[in-house]
Amino acid sequence: MPPSFKRWFPVAGSLLVFFLLGFLLVAPVFRKQEEQFLFEHNKSLVSVSDSYRNFECTLRASGGDFTSINSWRAKVACDLTDTATKVFTVSDRGTYSSSDDGSTVTFTGGGTGTLKYINNADSALITSCSGTINTGTVTISGSGHTFTISDTGLQIGDMVLSCYNDWANGFDESYIDIKDFVTDSNHHVKIWTDPSQSGTQGSNRHDGTAESGFFINCSGNSYVFVFRVGNVIVEGLEIQQPAKPSFGVLYMTSSSLQNTFRYMIIHNVGGIVYNGGGSTIENSIFYDFGSSGYSVLRFDKARSCTVYANGCGSYSNQIIVRDAECYNVLLYSTNSGTGYNDFYSCTGDYNIGSDSSVPVSYTHLRAHETSLHLVCRLLLE
């Protein structure tokens, strides 16, 4: 071995050992960061402080809290912003019956409230709470039934409905009327699929392909969802409506409502949204919709969505995305017609549209995605 090699060999060996040790120390950090990103990307519920407690019910074919979204809403709708609307931990259901819902209750200590519902997870939703509330027996007026609470309750944070993949041919309900809630930026209504849970038909959350999780297969000839309140989050749902009526799947009754829709698959429908107002749609896929609507997506903000407009025909003045602030929206259409536009009166950047005067490559679109706004991938074969 040349003398120069002998002189540098120990140094090189030391450097090699240093880099190996560094990799072993740093790799877990990168892995931890990746796990944290995946956790953040799949995080389930809106964060709540120690001052609030979510109230979550389940939608299941059997064995859940409810078999209908409208029935859930009718039972639990209330003022989420009221400090007197509280969630309690039930340690013993006692003689409670669902017929007791809506009755006045008296707490140990003499305080009172109105019982809305005790869910299958043994949480009690009670509104109009007042007076002294102690742990122990709660007595229901009228029936005389009792149950036991183990804490003095916290104000409700989010009202949550978790949908389970229990229906082989899809869950069928139309004109789902989201109303009678009072919400704000700290108190949401959330309808979602939990990606960590499964129903009798498999995982609750779709994997990006049709009918791979819980899905709404609406047979009705009306809107699927009607939203009369804001601060609603709909996450991880697939919606289809084979009859393709001349209605939007998502209907906001006021342009001032600020709702959020994410991780959605909406297809085989007459139209996507009517009067999206101040709402946001993100990380979602849309395809195969009918030709009766004037505009298909009309949200205030559209983020990282894929729209395949293969079903609109040649409707005059057809607009796919209108009046939206769009970022990372991939839109492909086979449409034509007088005054046809992919994007109309929209702002934003990094979008692809088949009528765009300055087309952007898919690689360019991907280059500008962020951890919060991942570009949806839809394979069109």
Side-chain angles (χ1 to χ4, degrees):
M1 182 181 294
S4 59
F5 280 16
K6 290 181 179 180
R7 185 169 60 253
W8 288 104
F9 184 77
V11 176
S14 299
L15 289 173
L16 179 60
V17 172
F18 173 79
F19 283 121
L20 286 173
L21 288 174
F23 175 78
L24 292 174
L25 291 172
V26 173
V29 175
F30 285 131
R31 186 163 56 251
K32 185 66 175 178
Q33 289 176 338
E34 181 182 11
E35 291 170 353
Q36 179 66 20
F37 166 73
L38 291 173
F39 171 76
E40 293 293 333
H41 181 59
N42 294 303
K43 191 184 297 182
S44 57
L45 298 177
V46 175
S47 298
V48 293
S49 72
D50 293 337
S51 302
Y52 302 133
R53 180 180 291 163
N54 292 341
F55 187 74
E56 182 167 1
C57 296
T58 57
L59 178 74
R60 305 207 62 167
S62 63
D65 289 294
F66 297 94
T67 58
S68 160
I69 301 177
N70 279 322
S71 296
W72 163 77
R73 185 267 309 160
K75 178 74 73 170
V76 303
C78 58
D79 185 350
L80 310 185
T81 68
D82 188 349
T83 57
T85 301
K86 296 187 176 184
V87 179
F88 298 82
T89 301
V90 175
S91 57
D92 187 345
R93 298 175 74 92
T95 53
Y96 161 77
S97 167
S98 60
S99 61
D100 295 322
D101 297 337
S103 300
T104 298
V105 296
T106 302
F107 298 95
T108 299
T112 60
T114 301
L115 176 64
K116 297 290 287 184
Y117 182 64
I118 299 179
N119 65 16
N120 285 355
D122 293 330
S123 293
L125 175 65
I126 303 179
T127 61
S128 305
C129 294
S130 63
T132 301
I133 299 175
N134 295 330
T135 60
T137 302
V138 181
T139 303
I140 303 167
S141 66
S143 68
H145 293 166
T146 62
F147 60 94
T148 304
I149 57 174
S150 58
D151 58 36
T152 56
L154 288 174
Q155 182 185 352
I156 189 170
D158 294 338
M159 184 71 73
V160 182
L161 181 66
S162 184
C163 303
Y164 275 69
N165 184 13
D166 285 349
W167 291 268
N169 297 314
F171 172 75
D172 189 358
E173 187 168 10
S174 62
Y175 210 88
I176 300 169
D177 203 356
I178 306 303
K179 62 180 182 178
D180 300 332
F181 294 97
V182 179
T183 65
D184 62 21
S185 59
N186 291 317
H187 303 85
H188 306 81
V189 173
K190 182 169 184 178
I191 302 170
W192 79 312
T193 55
D194 186 343
S196 68
Q197 300 295 320
S198 297
T200 59
Q201 302 299 314
S203 175
N204 290 345
R205 176 71 60 87
H206 64 74
D207 61 9
T209 58
E211 300 183 14
S212 58
F214 170 85
F215 68 100
I216 296 176
N217 187 12
C218 179
S219 63
N221 187 29
S222 67
Y223 301 111
V224 179
F225 277 97
V226 177
F227 299 91
R228 303 180 192 274
V229 298
N231 299 295
V232 178
I233 298 171
V234 181
E235 177 182 316
L237 269 60
E238 176 192 345
I239 303 174
Q240 51 180 290
Q241 193 174 22
K244 294 186 177 181
S246 57
F247 298 94
V249 171
L250 309 173
Y251 173 41
M252 263 60 69
T253 58
S254 170
S255 60
S256 64
L257 298 180
Q258 296 184 358
N259 296 324
T260 301
F261 304 87
R262 58 191 179 216
Y263 312 131
M264 306 285 288
I265 300 178
I266 301 179
H267 66 106
N268 196 22
V269 297
I272 306 298
V273 64
Y274 179 78
N275 194 25
S279 298
T280 298
I281 184 79
E282 56 190 21
N283 294 300
S284 297
I285 298 173
F286 311 93
Y287 65 98
D288 189 17
F289 33 86
S291 60
S292 57
Y294 181 75
S295 57
V296 177
L297 257 66
R298 196 170 183 176
F299 287 91
D300 183 56
K301 295 180 177 64
R303 299 284 189 269
S304 302
C305 295
T306 298
V307 185
Y308 182 51
N310 63 324
C312 289
S314 57
Y315 187 76
S316 179
N317 296 315
Q318 176 70 50
I319 296 168
I320 303 302
V321 183
R322 177 175 180 152
D323 300 332
E325 182 184 283
C326 300
Y327 285 91
N328 294 344
V329 175
L330 171 61
L331 195 159
Y332 175 78
S333 64
T334 57
N335 303 73
S336 61
T338 304
Y340 172 78
N341 290 278
D342 280 351
F343 296 95
Y344 179 80
S345 189
C346 294
T347 60
D349 209 347
Y350 315 130
N351 303 303
I352 299 177
S354 56
D355 70 348
S356 174
S357 59
V358 184
V360 180
S361 70
Y362 189 60
T363 302
H364 187 189
L365 185 74
R366 286 285 307 280
H368 291 279
E369 72 178 359
T370 67
S371 61
L372 293 178
H373 300 118
L374 300 177
V375 176
C376 291
R377 283 69 149 169
L378 177 62
L379 299 177
L380 305 175
E381 299 179 351

